[in-house]
Amino acid sequence: MFSSLIRFPGYSLCLEGKDPVPPFIDRRWRGRVQQRLEALQQLAVAPPSLQIPQIVYEDPEVTGRNRYKYFARPLISCNKLIPLTVAYTMAKTEPYVHSASRDSKVFGPKLRTVGTQTDYRDGEAQTDPYSPEYIVPSGSVPELLTLATLTWGRGLPAGLAEVEMIERAREKRAWEATLPSMDSASQIAKRRKMMDDMERKEWAFREKEIEKLQEVRLEVLKKLLQRREKNQNELDAKRLDDHWQNHQKAKEEKMKKIQHDCALMLRKLIAKRKNVMGKLERRDIIKEYTDFASQTYAPLSRIGYFPDNHSERYVVKNIYLSTFAGLCELEASLPDSVTQVKIKAPKPKYTTTETGYIKRSARLEVELAQVHQALLEKKNKVKEPKKPLRFLEKIEKPVPRPPTPILEKPSIEEEETELAVVCLQKLLRGRAIQNMKVKMKVIQAVSKNEANKNAFFPISSMSVFYLRHFLTLTPYKLEL
């Protein structure tokens, strides 16, 4: 299958004959005379008494003695390596017999519609529609001549705007027919007034058309501005992306350089750490040759050695592999076991001994197979659905919980009264604590004064304030 030798090709090409022509279609060439005869037979109206003789064609013997006439080379592209001596077999058909009675539609219609196919498109061959010459009788003005200014591509085929223009022209002609004659001064004034009114209407219509045209131009200008802004935004975004990519590339290159310098410095530090004392060491040749990762077997390119420079000297050059004659000689010298593979059927293993006992290894294999099968069944075991209860079970309902107590919401007046009482209690308690502190300070000052009666002891102004305040609050008096 994977052989590349000429004697043992890895593949072969086979051609399958496919005939696209159905077997019921006649393959023989009918000459021009026969075609004219058949056409006359189809187009002629013959009386019923006229009998057309049957035409019997002899067998061309395509697959017989006349086979050489139909032998040709198939149309195959040059890039395919397929043998060109190929001939397709054709099924032998019965001789073709023409009969007037075999088809009821032999004498059909005299005319037929035949389609043609040109080498050019309809758009390339299309021209302006033909406009024939015309003659206008005297005293008549046909309405169609008012559209002579419209040509193909300039108003034709007519659209909505052209239809509106034609309607306005009709209205104007009807208005002109209603204009009064210029016989008297009153008719002239009336005519002038009607013409002024029509002129105002035409100016108003023209102003509307100008406004519509300006709106269309504004829309086109807006679209152009939006497109220009969009293109400018895309261009700015592209420039920013390019700038960002350039910065990223510079950043990556800088990071690579930093990592390279870091690895270089680390190698230098490791090399210095190996010999901190700076001692000179001799080369250990035995250690280098025993270690296959040393410089002897795998030298580093940064030291200056490039092992791929002289790689061509390791290429195997052999006459048996470089020439065709050498390959043929090598193939002839090979044994048959190399080119012709022989497969031997495996012999069955004997699980019993000569005496009829089962071997221990066979018993272990059987046990292992059983354990493996049990594990697989347990792994692939499908959970069985729960079976319905055969008997009814009583489900006890839990004890209902007691109702949650609900406090009544006090009124706003009671709440305000309670808050006022609490505030008054706080004031009274604070006042009582303040009085107690003043009383203690007065007692301490009096005790110190009694201890030093004969000595001059000045009392501070703060002590006098506390003393006066205490005397006003207490119902009794102290003698100082």
Side-chain angles (χ1 to χ4, degrees):
M1 181 175 179
F2 302 100
S3 175
S4 60
L5 302 176
I6 298 177
R7 300 182 183 181
F8 302 97
Y11 63 92
S12 60
L13 300 176
C14 298
L15 292 176
E16 180 182 359
K18 292 185 178 180
D19 192 2
V21 182
F24 60 85
I25 296 177
D26 186 18
R27 299 172 179 270
R28 290 169 296 183
W29 165 251
R30 297 172 298 172
R32 300 290 182 186
V33 178
Q34 185 63 29
Q35 287 183 353
R36 293 193 191 98
L37 179 60
E38 291 182 0
L40 289 173
Q41 289 174 355
Q42 291 179 2
L43 298 175
V45 180
S49 62
L50 179 61
Q51 295 182 358
I52 299 175
Q54 296 182 358
I55 301 173
V56 181
Y57 297 95
E58 62 179 357
D59 187 11
E61 296 184 8
V62 177
T63 59
R65 62 179 181 178
N66 296 329
R67 180 182 175 87
Y68 69 95
K69 296 180 180 179
Y70 305 93
F71 188 83
R73 183 174 295 178
L75 298 174
I76 301 174
S77 59
C78 300
N79 56 356
K80 296 184 179 179
L81 299 176
I82 301 176
L84 300 178
T85 56
V86 179
Y88 296 102
T89 59
M90 301 177 66
K92 186 175 181 181
T93 58
E94 296 181 358
Y96 176 78
V97 179
H98 176 74
S99 176
S101 62
R102 66 184 180 87
D103 193 358
S104 61
K105 297 184 179 180
V106 173
F107 303 100
K110 295 181 180 180
L111 301 176
R112 287 186 301 170
T113 302
V114 180
T116 59
Q117 179 67 35
T118 62
D119 295 336
Y120 301 96
R121 290 177 53 194
D122 294 340
E124 296 175 356
Q126 183 66 44
T127 58
D128 293 344
Y130 173 66
S131 298
E133 297 180 356
Y134 55 89
I135 298 173
V136 180
S138 61
S140 64
V141 181
E143 187 182 5
L144 190 60
L145 290 180
T146 59
L147 306 177
T149 56
L150 301 178
T151 58
W152 184 262
R154 294 183 179 179
L156 292 178
L160 181 59
E162 285 77 14
V163 173
E164 290 179 355
M165 183 186 68
I166 293 169
E167 293 294 332
R168 286 197 306 273
R170 286 178 178 176
E171 290 177 359
K172 189 172 183 180
R173 285 196 297 271
W175 172 79
E176 288 177 353
T178 59
L179 285 174
S181 60
M182 302 175 65
D183 297 339
S184 60
S186 60
Q187 296 292 339
I188 293 172
K190 186 177 180 181
R191 184 186 180 93
R192 186 177 296 170
K193 183 179 180 183
M194 291 176 66
M195 291 178 69
D196 292 341
D197 295 340
M198 179 56 68
E199 189 176 1
R200 291 193 194 95
K201 289 181 181 179
E202 288 181 355
W203 278 112
F205 177 76
R206 182 58 182 164
E207 287 178 358
K208 289 182 181 179
E209 284 188 343
I210 292 171
E211 289 178 358
K212 289 181 181 179
L213 185 61
Q214 289 178 352
E215 289 178 358
V216 172
R217 288 181 179 177
L218 283 174
E219 291 295 330
V220 173
L221 185 61
K222 286 181 181 178
K223 290 181 180 179
L224 290 175
L225 290 174
Q226 290 175 1
R227 188 183 303 172
R228 187 181 70 177
E229 187 177 359
K230 182 180 178 182
N231 295 336
Q232 187 65 30
N233 292 336
E234 291 179 356
L235 185 62
D236 294 343
K238 187 177 180 181
R239 286 177 180 173
L240 288 174
D241 291 340
D242 295 341
H243 194 60
W244 182 79
Q245 288 178 2
N246 293 333
H247 276 287
Q248 288 294 113
K249 288 181 181 179
K251 179 183 176 182
E252 291 177 359
E253 291 177 359
K254 193 173 182 180
M255 291 292 293
K256 286 181 181 179
K257 187 177 183 304
I258 291 171
Q259 291 176 359
H260 178 72
D261 296 343
C262 178
L264 181 64
M265 297 305 296
L266 286 175
R267 286 197 298 269
K268 288 182 179 180
L269 290 174
I270 291 170
K272 286 183 180 180
R273 188 175 294 176
K274 287 182 180 179
N275 191 5
V276 181
M277 304 301 294
K279 294 181 180 180
L280 298 176
E281 295 182 359
R282 291 184 177 181
R283 179 185 176 189
D284 193 353
I285 301 176
I286 297 174
K287 184 178 180 181
E288 289 181 0
Y289 276 89
T290 53
D291 185 11
F292 292 99
S294 62
Q295 299 291 330
T296 305
Y297 293 100
L300 298 175
S301 58
R302 67 168 179 265
I303 297 175
Y305 183 79
F306 302 94
D308 295 336
N309 285 349
H310 305 286
S311 59
E312 65 276 0
R313 60 187 176 186
Y314 299 108
V315 177
V316 178
K317 297 179 180 179
N318 196 344
I319 191 173
Y320 293 104
L321 300 177
S322 58
T323 60
F324 179 73
L327 285 174
C328 293
E329 186 178 353
L330 180 62
E331 182 184 356
S333 64
L334 292 175
D336 295 338
S337 60
V338 177
T339 57
Q340 299 177 2
V341 181
K342 294 181 181 180
I343 301 174
K344 295 181 180 180
K347 296 181 180 180
K349 294 182 180 180
Y350 296 101
T351 58
T352 58
T353 58
E354 296 179 355
T355 55
Y357 292 99
I358 300 173
K359 293 182 179 181
R360 181 181 295 176
S361 59
R363 290 200 302 271
L364 289 174
E365 287 181 1
V366 173
E367 291 177 359
L368 288 173
Q370 292 176 357
V371 172
H372 180 65
Q373 187 65 25
L375 290 174
L376 288 178
E377 291 177 356
K378 188 175 180 181
K379 183 179 179 181
N380 300 329
K381 186 177 180 182
V382 181
K383 293 183 179 181
E384 296 180 358
K386 293 184 179 180
K387 297 180 179 179
L389 299 175
R390 295 180 62 186
F391 305 100
L392 296 176
E393 294 183 0
K394 184 179 180 181
I395 299 175
E396 296 181 357
K397 294 182 180 180
V399 180
R401 298 178 62 184
T404 305
I406 300 173
L407 295 175
E408 295 181 359
K409 186 177 180 181
S411 62
I412 298 175
E413 297 178 356
E414 293 179 357
E415 190 173 357
E416 290 179 354
T417 305
E418 187 176 357
L419 291 174
V421 170
V422 171
C423 183
L424 183 60
Q425 289 178 357
K426 289 181 180 180
L427 291 174
L428 293 174
R429 287 173 184 169
R431 192 67 176 176
I433 292 169
Q434 187 179 6
N435 291 338
M436 290 178 65
K437 288 182 179 180
V438 171
K439 183 179 180 181
M440 291 297 294
K441 287 185 178 182
V442 169
I443 292 171
Q444 289 177 3
V446 170
S447 60
K448 285 182 181 180
N449 194 10
E450 287 180 356
N452 302 320
K453 285 183 179 181
N454 298 325
F456 177 76
F457 182 75
I459 301 175
S460 63
S461 60
M462 200 66 186
S463 299
V464 174
F465 170 75
Y466 284 131
L467 181 59
R468 289 177 180 175
H469 185 70
F470 180 70
L471 291 175
T472 55
L473 293 176
T474 51
Y476 53 90
K477 295 181 181 181
L478 294 175
E479 294 180 358
L480 300 177

